[in-house]
């Protein structure tokens, strides 16, 4: 009871207290305004999860966004995404290129944007456009970051390679290599390119580099020449070791293991080889001579193992392309031919290919399935210039026949001189059978001008002078060319006017291929490049001439022999292009960038009416 009363009394007290607090609260609320309640924070917006898309998926998205909103920054990001792909889709590149072209002129002018545009054009195979867009380097350009400069220099090197300016391309690659220290994969690719360019140079150009013309090139040339001079792995290790001691920190050290391991050079198994040649029609004689050489080398190189399949193209491009396609479908392992230029172009355009050695030149644009070799007058002109420069002759007087043949020689000869910064003193075009040939030769040699000087001196002094007119003094050698018949007509006039005092060089066309001392006696002293097969005896098959074989065209028999050898070694040399193949028509080296096999001929000089093979470059100079 007491407990209950106590609880009741406490309850009444708490009730009165609560009423008092409520009243106080009401009065306080009336006295001062209440602040607004703090608003609850908005719920955080859900952000989409960031997904790192592969470049192959990201590039099309960025291209589409740039088309929808072609602001310069959007366009640049889209183009960079496309250019970062190893093998971008052609349509994607076209859309990126269209975006670049739609930029305002002011947004295409900075170096970074010119490099982007040039790289896009090169990816599309539009090399002239790429060169125009790239333009010249501008060290003051604000966008010229180290990365932009590196990409521009790499594009510049590619352009020079496409234009076959091998010496200049090597210079660009050497400068680029020092900028790739933090990009090991790119540096490896660049160094492989340097090695390929070294094999693309003419011997005289490598001589210039070895002499210190380009300091960065000297270690490369030293290693290249050293490995080229040996045939065994043991000797290659010795050369590599000596080089490593001399250049212990050179970046090319990374290439040494594979280069050394490529010795000795091994041919591939022959398996099934398809030969495509014109064995009937206008080119049948050439085709059969080449087939003779191919057959000889096939048995010599393979011992008859494998299978040799021969098909007649009849000199028709469509037939050649069809036979090539059928050969690929039948599963042949390698193909040699065709021969004539139109057929070669038709085959080189094939989509499905096999390792193929084409017997004429064409632009391959980096298609690694094809290689080319040829005997043509343009390359003979390059060989003449190369030997002259290495001998020290730099001022040629050139006498060439009129007509298409002379045009081809003249153009190639001047291009070859330009590679060394040289020009001919004069180029004279004439017909050796012309009625006024004596006067024209004398005028070309400066005899008329020399006679005029003698007369002028006599007139001024009042003396009766007698003197022999002299050959012009601004030339240190003569370069002449034409068929053997034309040269037999021309050379006696050269001698009559005193040209014997100048060294005379010619192309192989001066020699008919068979010695004829009585008719060629006037050619004595003239040096020319040619196939070693013409100056050596090579045993025919099993000691007997093959059925249908002919040596009427010995240079093309030698070409066929070499074609078989090069075909069997093509893949190995592509992987280590310092290797050379000694053949019947010369010593061959591969330019792995163009796919062209380049020939270094032997040299001969007429003595007593017959050609005699020379040894070193300086012999007979």
């Amino acid at each position: 009871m007491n407990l209950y009363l106590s609880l009741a009394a406490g309850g009444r007290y708490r009730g009165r207290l609560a009423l008092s607090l409520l009243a106080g609260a009401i009065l306080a609320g009336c006295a001062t305004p209440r602040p607004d309640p703090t608003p609850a924070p908005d719920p955080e917006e859900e952000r989409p999860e960031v997904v790192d898309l592969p470049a192959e998926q990201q590039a099309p998205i960025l291209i589409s966004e740039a088309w929808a909103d072609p602001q310069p920054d959007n366009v640049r990001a889209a183009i960079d995404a496309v250019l970062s792909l190893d093998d971008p889709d052609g349509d994607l590149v076209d859309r990126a290129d269209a975006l670049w072209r739609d930029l305002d002129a002011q947004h295409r002018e900075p170096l970074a944007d010119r490099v982007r545009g040039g790289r896009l054009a090169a990816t599309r195979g539009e090399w002239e456009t790429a060169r125009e867009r790239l333009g010249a380097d501008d060290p003051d350009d604000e966008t010229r970051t180290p990365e932009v400069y590196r990409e521009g220099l790499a594009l510049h090197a590619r352009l020079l390679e496409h234009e076959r300016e091998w010496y200049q391309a090597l210079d660009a690659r050497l400068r680029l290599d020092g900028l790739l220290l933090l990009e090991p994969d790119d540096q490896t690719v660049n160094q492989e390119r340097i090695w390929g360019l070294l094999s693309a140079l003419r011997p005289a150009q490598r001589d210039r580099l070895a002499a210190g013309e380009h300091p960065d090139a000297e270690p490369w040339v030293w290693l290249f020449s050293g490995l080229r001079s040996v045939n065994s792995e043991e000797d290659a290790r010795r050369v590599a070791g000596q080089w490593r001691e001399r250049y212990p920190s050179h970046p090319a050290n990374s290439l040494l293991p594979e280069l050394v391991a490529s010795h000795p050079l091994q041919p591939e198994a022959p398996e099934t080889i398809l030969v495509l040649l014109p064995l009937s029609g206008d080119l049948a004689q050439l085709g059969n001579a080449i087939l003779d050489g191919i057959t000889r080398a096939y048995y010599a190189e393979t011992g008859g193992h494998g299978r040799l399949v021969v098909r007649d193209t009849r000199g028709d491009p469509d037939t050649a392309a069809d036979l090539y396609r059928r050969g690929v479908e039948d599963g042949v392992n390698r193909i040699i031919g065709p021969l004539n230029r139109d057929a070669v172009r038709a085959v080189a355009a094939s989509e499905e290919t096999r390792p193929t050695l084409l017997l004429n030149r064409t632009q391959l644009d980096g298609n690694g399935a094809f290689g080319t070799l040829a005997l043509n007058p343009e390359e003979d002109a390059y060989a003449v210039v190369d030997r002259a420069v290495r001998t020290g002759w730099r001022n040629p007087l050139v006498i060439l026949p009129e007509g298409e043949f002379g045009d081809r020689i003249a153009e190639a000869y001047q291009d070859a001189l330009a590679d060394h910064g040289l020009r001919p003193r004069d180029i004279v075009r004439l017909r050796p059978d012309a009625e006024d040939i004596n006067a024209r030769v004398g005028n070309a040699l400066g005899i008329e001008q020399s006679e005029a000087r003698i007369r002028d001196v006599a007139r001024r002094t009042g003396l009766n002078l007698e003197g022999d007119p002299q050959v012009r003094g601004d030339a240190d050698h003569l370069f002449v060319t034409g068929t053997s018949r034309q040269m037999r007509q021309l050379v006696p006039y050269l001698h009559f006017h005193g040209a014997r005092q100048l060294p005379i060089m010619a192309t192989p066309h001066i020699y008919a291929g068979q010695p004829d001392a009585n008719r060629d006696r006037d050619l004595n002293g003239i040096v020319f490049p040619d196939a070693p097969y013409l100056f050596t005896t090579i045993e025919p098959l099993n000691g007997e001439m093959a059925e249908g074989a002919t040596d009427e065209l010995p240079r093309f028999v030698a070409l066929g022999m070499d074609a078989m050898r090069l075909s069997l070694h093509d893949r190995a040399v592509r992987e280590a292009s310092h290797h050379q193949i000694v053949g019947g028509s010369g010593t061959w080296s591969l330019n792995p960038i163009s796919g062209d096999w380049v020939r270094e001929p032997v040299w001969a000089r007429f003595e007593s009416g017959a050609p005699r093979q020379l040894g070193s470059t300086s012999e007979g100079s």
Side-chain angles (χ1 to χ4, degrees):
M1 180 69 182
N2 293 335
L3 178 60
Y4 173 75
L5 289 174
S6 298
L7 290 173
R12 287 194 296 271
Y13 172 77
R14 287 193 297 271
R16 288 195 298 270
L17 179 61
L19 290 173
S20 299
L21 291 173
L22 177 61
I26 292 173
L27 291 174
C30 293
T32 58
R34 296 183 61 187
D36 294 333
T38 302
D42 294 334
E44 290 188 10
E45 181 180 356
E46 292 188 8
R47 297 180 181 179
E49 183 180 354
V50 177
V51 178
D52 189 11
L53 294 175
E56 292 77 7
Q57 298 178 26
Q58 189 177 38
I61 294 173
L62 292 175
I63 286 289
S64 297
E65 291 177 351
W67 274 102
D69 184 14
Q71 296 299 315
D73 288 344
N74 294 346
V75 170
R76 291 173 179 130
I79 291 174
D80 289 344
V82 173
L83 291 174
S84 69
L85 301 178
D86 292 333
D87 187 20
D89 177 79
D91 179 64
L92 202 60
V93 175
D94 291 343
R95 294 177 68 193
D97 192 72
L99 284 170
W100 186 91
R101 285 185 278 110
D102 285 343
L103 286 171
D104 293 337
Q106 63 177 344
H107 293 122
R108 296 198 305 266
E109 186 59 28
L111 180 61
D113 292 297
R114 288 191 280 117
V115 170
R116 287 186 180 95
R119 293 177 64 194
L120 285 170
T123 303
R124 302 176 77 202
E126 298 174 354
W127 298 99
E128 187 60 35
T129 299
R131 175 167 289 285
E132 292 175 359
R133 290 180 180 180
L134 180 61
D137 181 31
D138 182 3
D140 297 325
D141 191 299
E142 294 181 354
T143 66
R144 188 184 184 268
T145 64
E147 181 180 5
V148 166
Y149 175 70
R150 186 171 66 242
E151 291 174 346
L153 187 57
L155 176 59
H156 178 59
R158 291 176 60 197
L159 290 169
L160 290 168
E161 290 167 358
H162 179 77
E163 294 163 5
R164 296 173 174 255
E165 299 286 351
W166 311 121
Y167 195 86
Q168 292 83 351
L170 177 62
D171 174 75
R173 291 286 178 188
L174 289 169
R175 287 187 284 131
L176 177 62
D177 204 59
L179 306 177
L180 296 172
L181 296 177
L182 300 180
E183 305 290 341
D185 292 340
D186 291 341
Q187 188 175 43
T188 297
V189 172
N190 188 64
Q191 290 173 353
E192 291 171 350
R193 216 67 174 174
I194 289 173
W195 199 253
L197 287 166
L198 286 169
S199 67
L201 298 182
R202 303 292 308 186
Q205 292 175 317
R206 281 196 296 272
D207 287 350
R208 287 162 55 188
L209 294 176
E213 183 169 294
H214 194 308
D216 291 340
E218 185 177 356
W220 289 96
V221 177
W222 199 99
L223 179 61
F224 185 90
S225 300
L227 291 178
R228 170 162 281 190
S229 66
V230 299
N231 296 312
S232 69
E233 184 173 356
E234 180 181 357
D235 288 340
R237 290 186 184 280
R238 174 181 52 79
V239 168
Q242 294 172 346
W243 183 87
R244 188 184 292 110
E245 289 180 5
R246 186 172 179 178
Y247 304 104
S249 59
H250 194 276
N253 274 285
S254 62
L255 301 180
L256 285 182
E258 292 185 5
L259 295 176
V260 169
S262 69
H263 292 267
L265 193 64
Q266 297 292 336
E268 293 184 59
E271 302 178 286
T272 302
I273 304 174
L274 171 64
V275 177
L276 303 177
L277 286 170
L279 304 177
S280 60
D282 295 340
L283 298 175
Q285 189 178 17
L286 288 180
N288 281 285
I290 292 173
L291 179 60
D292 176 21
I294 287 176
T295 307
R296 296 188 196 193
Y298 173 73
Y299 285 99
E301 297 288 324
T302 71
H305 297 292
R307 181 167 172 252
L308 189 65
V309 180
V310 180
R311 296 287 182 264
D312 181 10
T313 67
R314 303 192 299 274
D316 178 62
D318 292 336
T319 300
D322 183 60
L323 290 172
Y324 186 89
R325 178 185 54 79
R326 287 161 54 186
V328 172
E329 292 175 350
D330 291 343
V332 300
N333 301 102
R334 64 187 64 251
I335 301 173
I336 300 174
L339 175 61
N340 59 308
R341 187 161 295 182
D342 290 339
V344 163
R345 290 184 183 130
V347 165
S350 302
E351 293 184 1
E352 298 295 327
T353 63
R354 287 291 184 273
T356 304
L357 188 60
L358 303 167
L359 301 178
N360 213 322
R361 299 297 191 202
T362 190
Q363 193 81 14
L364 297 177
D365 291 327
N367 189 330
F370 294 104
T372 73
L373 80 162
L375 300 178
N376 59 44
E378 289 86 351
E379 291 174 59
D380 294 327
Y382 268 82
V384 168
V385 170
D386 195 66
R387 183 178 178 94
V389 170
R390 300 182 81 187
T391 305
W393 302 334
R394 305 177 67 83
N395 301 300
L397 172 61
V398 183
I399 300 178
L400 302 176
E402 296 176 349
E404 181 183 355
F405 172 76
D407 292 342
R408 292 172 61 184
I409 291 284
E411 182 178 359
Y413 188 79
Q414 291 179 91
D415 288 344
L417 284 174
D419 284 346
H420 301 280
L422 302 176
R423 296 177 60 186
R425 290 306 183 190
D426 200 1
I427 296 181
V428 179
R429 307 293 297 277
L430 47 74
R431 287 192 305 109
D433 59 351
E435 293 183 1
D436 61 344
I437 183 63
N438 185 53
R440 296 191 65 181
V441 170
N443 188 53
L445 294 174
I447 300 301
E448 182 178 334
Q449 295 89 330
S450 179
E451 290 174 338
R453 286 194 298 272
I454 293 173
R455 290 192 300 269
D456 183 59
V457 172
R459 179 181 57 80
R460 292 184 180 184
T461 62
L463 299 175
N464 185 16
L465 297 178
E466 293 184 6
D468 293 329
Q470 300 296 309
V471 173
R472 57 192 295 173
D474 61 342
D476 56 18
H477 70 288
L478 278 173
F479 170 52
V480 298
T481 194
T483 64
S484 57
R485 180 181 62 83
Q486 290 174 322
M487 291 297 96
R488 289 166 185 156
Q489 293 173 318
L490 173 65
V491 172
Y493 293 105
L494 295 175
H495 292 330
F496 175 77
H497 289 292
R500 288 182 186 274
Q501 64 184 342
L502 290 177
I504 303 178
M505 307 182 76
T507 62
H509 309 88
I510 195 173
Y511 178 45
Q514 298 292 339
D516 191 341
N518 289 331
R519 301 179 69 189
D520 290 339
R521 196 169 300 276
D522 285 330
L523 305 182
N524 286 346
I526 298 178
V527 296
F528 62 96
D530 215 327
Y533 179 75
L534 273 66
F535 310 107
T536 57
T537 301
I538 298 181
E539 291 296 324
L541 305 178
N542 302 320
E544 298 179 358
M545 189 69 75
E547 183 178 354
T550 175
D551 258 357
E552 293 180 5
L553 297 171
R555 295 182 179 95
F556 288 92
V557 173
L559 183 68
M561 296 168 64
D562 292 352
M564 175 58 69
R565 293 191 183 103
L566 301 187
S567 178
L568 294 175
H569 289 87
D570 183 87
R571 182 177 299 174
V573 177
R574 284 181 186 272
E575 294 175 356
S577 58
H578 61 279
H579 286 283
Q580 293 179 304
I581 306 294
V582 178
S585 50
T587 299
W588 296 90
S589 58
L590 177 67
N591 179 343
I593 298 174
S594 68
D596 295 332
W597 284 90
V598 181
R599 179 177 68 112
E600 188 171 350
V602 298
W603 283 82
R605 178 177 58 199
F606 278 100
E607 296 179 357
S608 301
R612 181 180 73 86
Q613 183 176 335
L614 302 177
S616 64
T617 300
S618 60
E619 184 179 344
S621 298

